[in-house]
Amino acid sequence: GEDVEQSLFLSVREGDSSVINCTYTDSSSTYLYWYKQEPGAGLQLLTYIFSNMDMKQDQRLTVLLNKKDKHLSLRIADTQTGDSAIYFCAESPGAGSYQLTFGKGTKLSVIP
Amino acid sequence: ETGVTQSPTHLIKTRGQQVTLRCSSQSGHNTVSWYQQALGQGPQFIFQYYREEENGRGNFPPRFSGLQFPNYSSELNVNALELDDSALYLCASSSASHQETQYFGPGTRLLVL
């Protein structure tokens, strides 16, 4: 079945860049997503990338996709304390089936 | 434009009871999905509703059931509650033209004792 793997923890200093990595196994994944979850809250869609793209940039966020290696990364430039949260990688097959398969999440801690 | 809302925010039940959770979709969205997020885990897909019909189901037993109403709001019903059903239940909605983008509500935290 589908599987999405992420490292569980990442700690960075305020002002540095953060890079959160994710690998997935389903070669039919059409869309890949990054969601952010703050304590006690729901999920906030940060960005997503279509599988025929290599990169997507949105303000401080850069998503890189290596489809050959099934590797997705999220880079947050100039990381702020407000970026402290759990970041989930997710994939969906698309084409009529948009159910999301999530990783376990990476907890990002930003040190002032 | 209002976002996805869910009620109640918190709920405590005992084993064997039944529970109904509610979700109102974001304005203009006609597809609703439900997810279960156990503590320390990523969300797991339960099922999706489109135009009041179930349109995909994850690996959950039949005691998890749902409804979608003509106004696109939705319910998740869980019968015969078990301790392992304790989790955050998340609802997400999307529009027919952009089904790839799902927007989540704040969730209902269910505790089964």
Side-chain angles (χ1 to χ4, degrees), chain A residues 12-84:
Chain A
V12 299
R13 293 208 172 272
E14 190 174 17
D16 287 350
S17 291
S18 308
V19 179
I20 304 171
N21 294 299
C22 168
T23 58
Y24 59 98
T25 58
D26 188 358
S27 57
S28 67
S29 297
T30 300
Y31 294 95
L32 294 129
Y33 304 81
W34 286 103
Y35 280 87
K36 176 183 180 182
Q37 187 174 40
E38 297 184 67
L43 299 176
Q44 175 192 353
L45 176 62
L46 290 177
T47 187
Y48 70 100
I49 189 167
F50 188 56
S51 59
N52 68 353
M53 298 169 66
D54 299 324
M55 186 182 89
K56 182 177 180 180
Q57 191 156 358
D58 185 0
Q59 299 183 337
R60 292 191 298 125
L61 305 179
T62 303
V63 178
L64 294 178
L65 174 60
N66 181 328
K67 197 173 179 183
K68 174 177 169 287
D69 293 339
K70 299 190 185 71
H71 182 266
L72 183 74
S73 68
L74 174 70
R75 178 177 178 268
I76 305 172
D78 187 25
T79 311
Q80 302 297 307
T81 54
D83 295 324
S84 293

Side-chain angles (χ1 to χ4, degrees), chain B residues 67-90:
Chain B
L67 282 173
Q68 187 182 29
F69 300 101
N71 67 354
Y72 306 130
S73 65
S74 176
E75 284 182 357
L76 164 65
N77 298 290
V78 187
N79 293 323
L81 283 166
E82 300 177 1
L83 298 180
D84 284 350
D85 296 333
S86 295
L88 180 67
Y89 288 86
L90 295 160

